[in-house]
Amino acid sequence: MRVRKLTFAALAVAAGLSLTACNGDDGTAQSDGSSSSSSSTSGGGSGSGGSEQGGGKDDSAGKSSAGSGSDAQAKAAKCRTDDLDITAKDSTIDGDDEGTVAVEFKNGGGRDCLLSGYAGVDLKTSEGDLSAERSGQESSPMVLKDGESVFFGVTYPLNESGGSGVKVSSLVITPPNETKSFSVEWPGAATLPVTDGSGSSVKVGPMGSAGQGGAS
């Protein structure tokens, strides 16, 4: 009887130790699995990837906005003398106190170009060169489209003195911001009155100061 009781007690202790060891192994495996899954989510995955993608969209939007702004628009270059067909016609109206010549700039350069300010105008006369003075009218920059024209006026006093006056042969025109000139035959009255030399009696207006109708 004593020996049997000891045997039962030993079996009971062994069974208890075996059950405890089994439960400990299962708990440890579940804990390791849970920790690994959590690390994967916070370390990489959609959280980090979403942040990087968001940054990419912001950069793209900024570049698109800059590209569509005014810096991306082409600016017209200035009109060169060689780009312009320059002609002049008398546009004096009967009864006017002074004569008028309308000068036409027609853009034949194959591209739009920019005109800004006044053209330089000199008259070749029997008494030497006579430079026209600016009329003082406001001048605004303008883009002259390819194939289109703009007109400006040159005004001068009429010779009503009965004398021979000063003979005019040609008109020398220099487009705004250019150094190359172009000469055309003078289409206005044959002579100007003789002046005392105190100042130019010939005036030039800004771009657009003469109408197409006046020059036709």
Side-chain angles (χ1 to χ4, degrees):
M1 291 294 293
R2 186 176 180 82
V3 174
R4 185 178 297 175
K5 286 182 179 181
L6 290 173
T7 300
F8 285 146
L11 289 175
V13 170
L17 291 173
S18 176
L19 181 61
T20 300
C22 184
N23 287 338
D25 290 342
D26 290 345
T28 303
Q30 290 176 1
S31 175
D32 290 346
S34 173
S35 175
S36 176
S37 176
S38 174
S39 175
S40 175
T41 300
S42 62
S46 63
S48 176
S51 175
E52 291 176 0
Q53 290 172 3
K57 289 180 181 178
D58 289 344
D59 291 344
S60 175
K63 291 177 182 178
S64 176
S65 176
S68 63
S70 59
D71 290 342
Q73 298 176 356
K75 294 182 179 180
K78 72 175 182 178
C79 296
R80 311 293 303 220
T81 303
D82 291 339
D83 295 336
L84 301 171
D85 296 324
I86 302 175
T87 57
K89 294 183 179 181
D90 181 23
S91 62
T92 304
I93 299 174
D94 291 341
D96 280 358
D97 294 333
E98 58 185 4
T100 303
V101 167
V103 179
E104 177 184 4
F105 282 175
K106 183 175 182 179
N107 184 1
R111 59 177 176 81
D112 297 352
C113 62
L114 180 67
L115 284 171
S116 179
Y118 284 72
V121 174
D122 296 286
L123 280 64
K124 294 289 186 180
T125 78
S126 57
E127 300 296 325
D129 293 350
L130 176 63
S131 296
E133 294 182 351
R134 296 179 179 182
S135 65
Q137 293 172 262
E138 183 178 354
S139 174
S140 299
M142 61 170 294
V143 173
L144 183 61
K145 293 186 177 298
D146 182 40
E148 295 189 354
S149 297
V150 64
F151 300 81
F152 64 91
V154 178
T155 59
Y156 60 93
L158 298 172
N159 182 17
E160 298 175 342
S161 64
S164 58
V166 178
K167 294 185 66 174
V168 184
S169 59
S170 62
L171 192 61
V172 181
I173 302 163
T174 309
N177 302 309
E178 268 284 72
T179 56
K180 185 176 181 178
S181 301
F182 187 85
S183 180
V184 298
E185 185 177 351
W186 172 251
T191 63
L192 302 178
V194 177
T195 64
D196 59 7
S198 59
S200 177
S201 55
V202 181
K203 307 290 183 183
V204 56
M207 296 295 135
S209 59
Q212 182 176 358
S216 60

